[in-house]
């Protein structure tokens, strides 16, 4: 099997602003594997929060790509690479090749629901974006927030989109001191779920109070190994292939988390449609799906998925 990896940079149509800062492009690493005339393609988005960069991921991948010619198998990846972006890109490429080799036809749903993300901005700007999304048929809005103007931003969005569900993603930016009161305020505003309010390494406070709304682990949950410490702190887990290290661990995490009583969210990084296609089989298992990463790109890979009215369509 021949293999190669390379970096792609995709400009965004507008800045993507979260509590850690703003991004104006998506940097992804693509893996291609080829054998018997068939090509499998996988994509990952390296994330600095987890100590990754495009260059570091390429360095992780290069030794294993050379080993594919010597017979390295997909089921050996978990012992050769840690969970993360590099393993995900290679796992997805091999899974794509296997599906083409077996001539497997697409058997999933032809569309999935997705949230529409609203990035951090003034309350007025976020309300305007919420109203536009709601007028286009979006039913679930995901608000990125930092530690400032939380109530004002959420209240403005609620007023602009009174019928929409709202989920909040703080990306670890909040503090325990005022979290109990803040959670109650969000619940009173009809917020349906709160994602990762506290830093992953400092989230034990979540076990000390009754949550008035479900709290979802994102940065705190990568693989099945994280589940024991999440019990009593979170009601949901956000599964992303770039965290789990590929499809196999993502599917295993979904099964084990569900068995332990966690509800599921399926998420993504800033990415092209390739990454969303790879995660597609997990969609029906999740309560919330955050798959709008490609909608932030100025242009998408070909063929692109189609996004409209809060849904993403396979073709």
């Amino acid at each position: 099997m021949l293999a190669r990896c390379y970096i792609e940079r995709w400009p965004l149509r507008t800045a993507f602003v979260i509590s850690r800062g703003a991004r104006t492009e998506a940097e992804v690493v693509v893996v291609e594997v080829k054998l018997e005339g068939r090509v499998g393609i996988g994509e990952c988005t390296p994330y600095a929060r987890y100590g990754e960069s495009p260059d570091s991921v390429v360095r992780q991948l290069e030794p294993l790509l050379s080993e594919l010619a010597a017979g390295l198998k997909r089921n050996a990846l978990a012992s050769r690479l840690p969970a993360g972006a590099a393993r995900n890109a290679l796992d997805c490429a091999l899974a794509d090749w296997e599906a083409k080799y077996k001539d497997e036809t697409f058997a999933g749903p032809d569309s999935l629901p997705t949230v529409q993300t609203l990035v951090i901005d003034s309350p007025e700007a976020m309300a305007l974006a919420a109203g536009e999304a709601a007028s286009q048929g979006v039913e679930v809005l995901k608000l990125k927030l930092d530690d400032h103007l939380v109530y004002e931003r959420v209240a403005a969005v609620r007023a602009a989109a009174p019928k929409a569900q709202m989920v909040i993603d703080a990306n670890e930016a909040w503090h325990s001191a005022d979290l109990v009161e803040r959670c109650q305020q969000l619940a009173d505003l009809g917020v349906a779920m709160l994602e990762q309010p506290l830093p992953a390494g400092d989230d034990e406070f979540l076990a000390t109070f009754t949550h008035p709304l479900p709290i979802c682990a994102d940065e705190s949950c990568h693989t099945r190994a994280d589940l024991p410490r999440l019990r009593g702190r979170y009601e949901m887990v956000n599964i992303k292939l770039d965290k789990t290290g590929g499809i196999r661990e993502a599917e295993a995490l979904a099964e084990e988390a569900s068995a332990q009583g966690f509800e599921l969210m399926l998420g993504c990084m800033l990415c092209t449609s390739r990454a969303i296609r790879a995660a597609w089989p997990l969609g029906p298992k999740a309560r919330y799906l955050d798959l709008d990463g490609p909608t932030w790109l100025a242009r998408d890979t070909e063929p692109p998925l189609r996004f409209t009215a809060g849904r993403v369509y396979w073709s």
Side-chain angles (χ1 to χ4, degrees):
M1 177 174 279
L2 300 177
R4 68 183 185 121
C5 65
Y6 51 91
I7 298 169
E8 291 181 342
R9 292 178 173 85
W10 297 84
L12 305 186
R13 57 178 175 79
T14 186
F16 190 81
V17 186
I18 67 172
S19 61
R20 294 191 188 96
R23 297 181 63 182
T24 57
E25 68 175 7
E27 293 184 288
V28 306
V29 175
V30 180
V31 171
E32 293 183 7
V33 297
K34 183 176 181 179
L35 181 65
E36 298 181 2
R38 298 173 178 86
V39 178
I41 301 178
E43 175 186 308
C44 70
T45 302
Y47 199 31
R49 166 63 179 82
Y50 305 132
E52 299 170 336
S53 70
D55 289 336
S56 75
V57 165
V58 168
R59 287 195 297 270
Q60 281 183 288
L61 285 168
E62 285 177 339
L64 276 78
L65 298 184
S66 63
E67 292 180 29
L68 289 175
L72 179 68
K73 302 300 183 184
R74 184 183 172 204
N75 59 13
L77 296 183
S79 64
R80 301 299 308 281
L81 283 171
R87 196 173 86 194
N88 176 42
L90 185 50
D91 185 60
C92 288
L94 292 171
D96 186 43
W97 183 89
E98 289 174 2
K100 292 172 180 174
Y101 178 77
K102 297 175 183 178
D103 198 24
E104 293 177 347
T105 57
F106 174 68
D110 63 0
S111 73
L112 293 170
T114 180
V115 307
Q116 177 63 54
T117 302
L118 305 182
V119 296
I120 296 173
D121 208 327
S122 68
E124 296 78 12
M126 294 183 74
L128 179 61
E132 292 176 351
S135 70
Q136 295 168 5
V138 174
E139 296 181 353
V140 185
L141 300 171
K142 178 175 177 176
L143 282 62
K144 293 285 192 178
L145 294 175
D146 55 19
D147 201 32
H148 305 287
L149 299 176
V150 171
Y151 183 86
E152 291 83 354
R153 286 166 167 153
V154 177
V157 169
R158 171 53 70 213
K163 295 182 180 180
Q165 286 193 65
M166 286 193 298
V167 297
I168 304 297
D169 186 3
N171 286 116
E172 305 181 281
W174 295 359
H175 309 280
S176 58
D178 56 357
L179 184 61
V180 175
E181 179 183 3
R182 184 170 283 177
C183 284
Q184 189 59 58
Q185 290 177 335
L186 296 179
D188 292 343
L189 286 168
V191 172
M193 184 269 282
L194 170 61
E195 188 178 350
Q196 198 69 47
L198 301 178
D202 190 26
D203 60 359
E204 62 274 5
F205 181 77
L206 295 175
T208 67
F209 69 101
T210 299
H211 302 166
L213 75 171
I215 299 181
C216 178
D218 182 4
E219 287 87 348
S220 288
C221 182
H222 293 244
T223 69
R224 287 169 289 172
D226 294 312
L227 292 175
R229 67 175 296 275
L230 303 182
R231 287 195 293 271
R233 302 182 186 187
Y234 298 92
E235 288 74 39
M236 300 183 69
V237 297
N238 187 345
I239 299 174
K240 296 176 181 175
L241 269 60
D242 279 319
K243 293 189 301 177
T244 63
I247 300 166
R248 287 190 171 183
E249 177 60 28
E251 291 176 337
L253 173 58
E255 181 177 356
E256 182 62 26
S258 295
Q260 294 189 25
F262 292 99
E263 289 194 284
L264 305 181
M265 181 177 188
L266 178 61
C268 69
M269 307 295 191
L270 289 172
C271 60
T272 77
S273 287
R274 287 180 300 228
I276 304 302
R277 290 184 190 275
W280 199 275
L282 290 160
K285 302 177 182 181
R287 176 180 174 184
Y288 291 109
L289 291 86
D290 177 8
L291 305 177
D292 70 340
T295 68
W296 290 88
L297 304 181
R299 61 179 180 86
D300 197 356
T301 188
E302 294 291 338
L305 296 169
R306 180 167 59 92
F307 292 81
T308 182
R311 297 194 72 85
V312 52
Y313 293 82
W314 184 263
S315 60

